[in-house]
Amino acid sequence: MAKLLFVSKDIGGTKMLVPIAKEAKNRGHEIFIAVAEGKGLPLWSGSGMDKLFLNISDAKAFLKTINPDAVIMEFLSSVSMIRDLGLEANRRGIPVVAVEDYWAARKRLLEVEPSLVLTIDEYAKRFTKEAIFHRFPVEIIGNHAVINPKD
């Protein structure tokens, strides 16, 4: 099975990543979590994931140590840890999956090049493809960051 590194900072991005990580773990993949600045840490701490790392300062050494098969991160952020891990993954040829939690694709600086973008709905897919990701596949996964009003 694959080694997958999930990278997040904010609560919205983390809420999108936790269900993906849980499903990947249930399918037998090895999961690593890197959290910047701790805002998403409480969500990861309660998720059953045990390989949590906070505020990675050396992306090159960290990726060399865990050697993931893919990096799945909240939408490409300017937060240095997230950006650094994404850029180092690009340098190493490790696929990067960018997961969006709201319609803000156009406002993000894209230093990191994703292999795949996962977004919330058809509008966001169209917006994302037209704005900046015409050369990357974009798929819809729904918005796990919004609480279901029926719950």
Side-chain angles (χ1 to χ4, degrees):
M1 289 291 151
K3 285 190 203 177
L4 304 175
L5 172 61
F6 288 80
V7 183
S8 72
K9 171 189 176 265
D10 291 324
I11 292 170
T14 302
K15 283 183 176 181
M16 293 297 290
L17 294 176
V18 167
I20 299 168
K22 283 182 175 181
E23 182 61 26
K25 185 175 182 178
N26 288 341
R27 292 178 183 226
H29 299 290
E30 187 174 6
I31 307 300
F32 298 85
I33 311 298
V35 184
E37 300 174 14
K39 292 177 185 173
L41 186 59
L43 295 171
W44 285 117
S45 296
S47 71
M49 303 295 159
D50 56 354
K51 296 176 182 169
L52 289 165
F53 302 90
L54 186 60
N55 294 322
I56 306 305
S57 60
D58 186 343
K60 186 174 184 177
F62 184 70
L63 288 180
K64 183 178 180 181
T65 299
I66 66 168
N67 193 29
D69 295 298
V71 175
I72 301 102
M73 57 178 41
E74 78 175 54
F75 202 78
L76 307 173
S77 173
S78 61
V79 172
S80 64
M81 185 200 86
I82 295 173
R83 183 188 65 240
D84 292 351
L85 285 168
L87 287 171
E88 186 59 27
N90 283 164
R91 280 192 281 278
R92 291 175 174 272
I94 300 168
V96 173
V97 177
V99 181
E100 184 176 32
D101 65 338
Y102 61 95
W103 301 319
R106 188 181 204 151
K107 296 182 181 195
R108 303 293 176 122
L109 298 174
L110 296 178
E111 297 171 74
V112 177
E113 294 211 8
S115 301
L116 172 66
V117 176
L118 302 177
T119 194
I120 61 176
D121 60 21
E122 189 59 45
Y123 175 81
K125 180 178 181 175
R126 218 172 31 254
F127 179 80
T128 301
K129 285 179 97 69
E130 290 170 6
I132 48 182
F133 285 111
H134 56 280
R135 65 187 186 275
F136 305 117
V138 179
E139 297 297 332
I140 298 168
I141 61 168
N143 191 340
H144 310 294
V146 175
I147 297 171
N148 184 345
K150 296 178 184 177
D151 292 343

